[in-house]
């Protein structure tokens, strides 16, 4: 068992009853004082009033018991067990009273018991609720922060409800099987024994109101309105005692009072529900406003990011173009073929990096670059560059759409450039009908790149700078390369 506070319907640091509950108590007291003198007056005969009265109490009390049960499962306060059982017992007694009341369901007779059965059931009914209320108050005042563990709470509630049902059944069986019951009503009027029991239940109700008002009602709205329920029942008891005969204003008003008292906590829960809905609506409006503001901020950030990336791309692209221009300028000033060829390779490598960066800029996410599109554009650009160097090479591409990160796309673009360059070194420039086929596919978690030549050519030596560069790029991809023989020259890379 653990302590906890701050549950739904509680008043933090309150020193008095809620104003509405206090006003209701005062109004009930004034109503009783002002109308009790008229309780003995005969009222209209309403044969169906008992049936309506019992049915409304059964529905209201059972619904309130279920709402209290839901609250108990949320808070696991021990005093709620007593209140739940009190309301559940009241719902059971409403049905039993209806079955035992003469003329309620069948003209002139009851379905169970004899003439005194309904009176004894009514007496037990009016005694149970104030006893449960006082016990709940004392338990809450003694251990206000006590909370049951979940498994213990389920067992306690199940056992308490079983005892409630068993108690109601046992009392009803005793009343039905008793050979002679002391009379609580005789010749249509209450007996002295009934007035004693009735006075005791009324006193207990008023005692419960006082205990709640000076105790837990200051801390809990639920307890405060439970006090209003007890006050309404006490006023109804007074009307029943003063009215005496059936269909008097007091007799009929008592039933109306009991029904009104039963609906107090149910109305309180409806008010809590409506308040929660208002709070949820207000919270949703604030959240939507905050989301709208945050969305606008994020959109501004995205626009700023896109602007920044665009600026970075343009700067990188311009720098790469400047670098390529410088390389080509140096090539024109070099007479040695080997030196010119080295700068040409550097130019193509710079071209490969530029193509990948441009595709990264066009992609919606920098970590999701369409490598198939990169390869196709790179092939077109390489074919144009090689044509400018006098090499009539046609590059065919069959590349699947595969999404890769920039860290993989850059070495892959450089690798393709190196493989294509290595396959066009021999034979001499100008050879007609040369075709380079680039195939890229993905199967499961394995990606396969194949760069092959349609004509025999000399592959680079394994110790040459070109081969070492190719091996380094394959290593960056975490794969392995396989160079084909001269009859089908090319390279296959799996990574």
């Amino acid at each position: 068992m653990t302590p906890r506070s701050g549950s739904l319907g509680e008043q933090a640091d309150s020193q008095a009853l809620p104003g509405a509950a206090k006003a209701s108590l005062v109004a009930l007291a004034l109503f009783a004082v002002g109308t009790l003198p008229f309780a003995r007056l005969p009222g209209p005969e309403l044969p169906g009033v008992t049936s309506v009265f019992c049915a409304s109490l059964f529905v209201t009390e059972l619904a309130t018991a279920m709402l209290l049960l839901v609250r108990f499962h949320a808070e696991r306060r021990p005093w709620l067990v007593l209140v739940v059982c009190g309301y559940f017992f009241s719902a059971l007694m409403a049905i039993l009273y209806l079955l035992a009341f003469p003329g309620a369901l069948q003209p002139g007779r009851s379905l169970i018991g004899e003439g005194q059965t309904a009176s004894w059931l009514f007496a037990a009914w009016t005694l149970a609720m104030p006893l449960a209320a006082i016990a709940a108050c004392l338990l809450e005042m003694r251990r206000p922060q006590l909370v049951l563990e979940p498994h213990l709470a389920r067992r306690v509630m199940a056992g308490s409800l079983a005892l409630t049902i068993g108690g109601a059944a046992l009392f009803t069986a005793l009343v039905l099987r008793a050979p002679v019951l002391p009379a609580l009503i005789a010749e249509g009027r209450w007996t002295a024994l009934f007035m004693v029991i009735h006075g005791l239940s009324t006193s207990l109700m008023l005692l419960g109101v006082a205990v709640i008002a000076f105790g837990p009602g200051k801390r809990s709205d639920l307890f405060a309105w439970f006090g209003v329920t007890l006050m309404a029942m006490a006023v109804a008891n007074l009307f029943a005692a003063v009215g005496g005969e059936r269909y008097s204003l007091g007799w009929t008003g008592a039933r109306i009072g009991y029904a009104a008292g039963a609906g107090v906590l149910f109305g309180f829960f409806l008010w809590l529900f409506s308040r929660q809905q208002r709070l949820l609506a207000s919270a949703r409006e604030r959240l939507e406003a905050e989301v709208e503001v945050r969305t606008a901020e994020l959109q501004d950030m995205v626009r700023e990011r896109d602007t920044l990336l665009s600026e970075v791309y343009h700067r990188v692209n311009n720098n790469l173009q400047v670098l390529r221009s410088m390389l080509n300028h140096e090539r024109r000033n070099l007479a040695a073929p080997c030196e010119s060829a080295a700068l040409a390779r550097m130019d193509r490598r710079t071209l490969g990096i530029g193509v990948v960066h441009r595709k990264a800029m066009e992609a919606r996410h920098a970590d999701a670059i369409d490598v198939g599109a990169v390869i196709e554009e790179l092939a077109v650009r390489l074919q144009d560059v090689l044509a400018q160097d006098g090499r009539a090479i046609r590059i065919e591409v069959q590349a699947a759409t595969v999404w890769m990160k920039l860290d993989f796309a850059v070495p892959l673009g450089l690798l393709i450039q190196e493989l294509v360059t290595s396959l066009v070194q021999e034979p001499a420039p100008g050879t007609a009908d040369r075709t380079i086929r680039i195939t890229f596919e993905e199967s499961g978690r394995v990606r396969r790149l194949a760069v092959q030549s349609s004509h025999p050519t000399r592959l680079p030596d394994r110790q040459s700078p070109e081969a070492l560069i190719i091996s380094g790029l394959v290593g960056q991809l975490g794969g392995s390369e396989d160079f084909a023989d001269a009859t089908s020259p090319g390279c296959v890379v799996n990574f």
Side-chain angles (χ1 to χ4, degrees):
M1 293 181 287
T2 56
R4 186 179 63 186
S5 61
S7 57
L8 179 65
E10 291 196 355
Q11 314 163 73
D13 302 326
S14 178
Q15 300 299 320
L17 287 175
K22 186 184 297 184
S24 298
L25 291 175
V26 174
L28 285 171
L30 294 176
F31 177 79
V33 172
T35 56
L36 273 177
F38 306 98
R40 288 186 178 276
L41 297 177
E45 293 190 9
L46 303 172
V49 67
T50 300
S51 301
V52 175
F53 159 69
C54 292
S56 62
L57 254 73
F58 171 75
V59 173
T60 306
E61 301 281 60
L62 185 61
T64 305
M66 297 305 296
L67 291 171
L68 287 166
L69 183 62
V70 171
R71 178 159 177 171
F72 170 76
H73 283 304
E75 299 183 8
R76 305 191 302 278
R77 300 288 184 89
W79 62 267
L80 279 169
V81 176
L82 297 171
V83 182
V84 170
C85 291
Y87 272 89
F88 194 70
F89 181 82
S90 180
L92 292 176
M93 297 308 292
I95 295 299
L96 294 172
Y97 181 77
L98 178 65
L99 298 176
F101 192 88
L105 296 178
Q106 287 188 353
R109 62 183 299 268
S110 62
L111 293 182
I112 61 173
E114 302 298 335
Q116 300 296 324
T117 303
S119 299
W120 278 99
L121 292 175
F122 182 78
W125 187 3
T126 56
L127 280 169
M129 184 64 80
L131 288 173
I134 293 172
C137 288
L138 295 176
L139 180 58
E140 199 277 341
M141 292 169 66
R142 182 175 177 84
R143 300 292 299 275
Q145 306 300 330
L146 183 62
V147 176
L148 300 176
E149 298 295 339
H151 64 283
L152 180 59
R154 289 191 293 268
R155 290 203 298 266
V156 169
M157 180 57 74
S160 300
L161 289 176
L163 288 174
T164 301
I165 296 172
L170 178 60
F171 181 80
T172 304
L174 291 175
V175 171
L176 293 176
R177 292 181 177 275
V180 179
L181 288 172
L184 297 180
I185 185 170
E187 298 180 357
R189 292 184 174 276
W190 307 125
T191 64
L193 178 58
F194 177 85
M195 295 303 292
V196 171
I197 297 175
H198 206 59
L200 176 61
S201 66
T202 304
S203 299
L204 289 173
M205 292 172 188
L206 293 174
L207 177 60
V209 173
V211 173
I212 289 174
F214 293 99
K218 297 178 180 181
R219 299 185 298 272
S220 170
D221 284 346
L222 190 150
F223 255 121
W225 287 105
F226 193 23
V228 176
T229 297
L230 293 177
M231 188 65 178
M233 293 178 65
V235 172
N237 262 15
L238 292 174
F239 270 89
V242 175
E245 297 180 355
R246 184 181 299 186
Y247 299 128
S248 66
L249 290 180
W251 186 87
T252 304
R255 277 152 172 72
I256 297 174
Y258 288 128
V264 170
L265 272 192
F266 185 70
F268 170 69
F269 277 111
L270 291 180
W271 175 81
L272 282 181
F273 177 76
S274 64
R275 187 183 71 171
Q276 289 174 340
Q277 293 303 306
R278 290 194 301 271
L279 292 175
L280 286 174
S282 177
R284 183 175 61 250
E285 291 175 359
R286 290 197 304 269
L287 182 59
E288 289 176 351
E290 292 176 1
V291 168
E292 185 176 351
V293 172
R294 184 58 178 162
T295 300
E297 293 176 354
L298 291 175
Q299 289 175 344
D300 291 340
M301 292 173 62
V302 169
R303 284 192 291 269
E304 291 176 3
R305 185 212 64 177
D306 291 342
T307 301
L308 178 61
L309 288 178
S310 178
E311 181 65 21
V312 169
Y313 158 70
H314 286 300
R315 288 182 180 274
V316 170
N317 186 61
N318 291 339
N319 291 336
L320 291 175
Q321 290 295 334
V322 170
L323 180 59
R324 291 192 64 200
S325 298
M326 294 172 63
L327 291 173
N328 289 324
H329 177 72
E330 292 295 332
R331 284 181 62 191
R332 287 193 293 271
N333 294 330
L334 293 174
C338 60
E339 294 175 352
S340 178
L343 291 180
R345 289 193 296 271
M346 291 299 298
D347 176 55
R348 289 191 290 271
R349 289 163 187 162
T350 305
L351 171 65
I353 295 175
V355 170
V356 174
H357 275 277
R358 182 165 54 257
K359 287 298 181 183
M361 181 58 197
E362 295 174 357
R364 298 188 62 182
H365 301 285
D367 287 344
I369 303 172
D370 184 2
V371 176
V374 171
I375 295 174
E376 290 178 354
E377 181 171 345
L378 182 59
V380 172
R381 300 294 299 278
L382 283 175
Q383 185 171 283
D384 293 341
V385 170
L386 290 172
Q388 293 175 5
D389 290 341
R391 300 177 184 272
I393 305 298
R394 184 172 65 253
I395 302 178
E396 297 178 353
V397 177
Q398 185 177 355
T401 300
V402 179
W403 304 97
M404 296 178 65
K405 294 183 177 181
L406 183 63
D407 292 344
F408 283 89
V410 170
L412 181 63
L414 289 174
L415 176 62
I416 293 172
Q417 182 275 139
E418 292 293 336
L419 291 174
V420 170
T421 300
S422 66
L423 292 177
V424 300
Q425 296 302 318
E426 296 292 343
T431 303
D433 299 328
R434 292 287 307 279
T435 301
I436 302 294
R437 297 184 180 88
I438 302 175
T439 306
F440 182 72
E441 57 190 0
E442 183 178 44
S443 178
R445 301 181 63 180
V446 178
R447 298 171 179 136
R448 180 178 180 273
L449 171 67
V451 180
Q452 297 172 316
S453 174
S454 62
H455 286 68
T457 185
R458 183 177 63 82
L459 296 174
D461 185 79
R462 289 302 180 95
Q463 300 301 320
S464 66
E466 292 83 359
L468 294 177
I469 291 175
I470 291 172
S471 297
L473 293 172
V474 172
Q476 289 188 41
L477 296 173
S480 60
E481 72 274 18
D482 181 21
F483 286 96
D485 56 29
T487 59
S488 181
C491 180
V492 177
V493 179
N494 294 304
F495 62 96

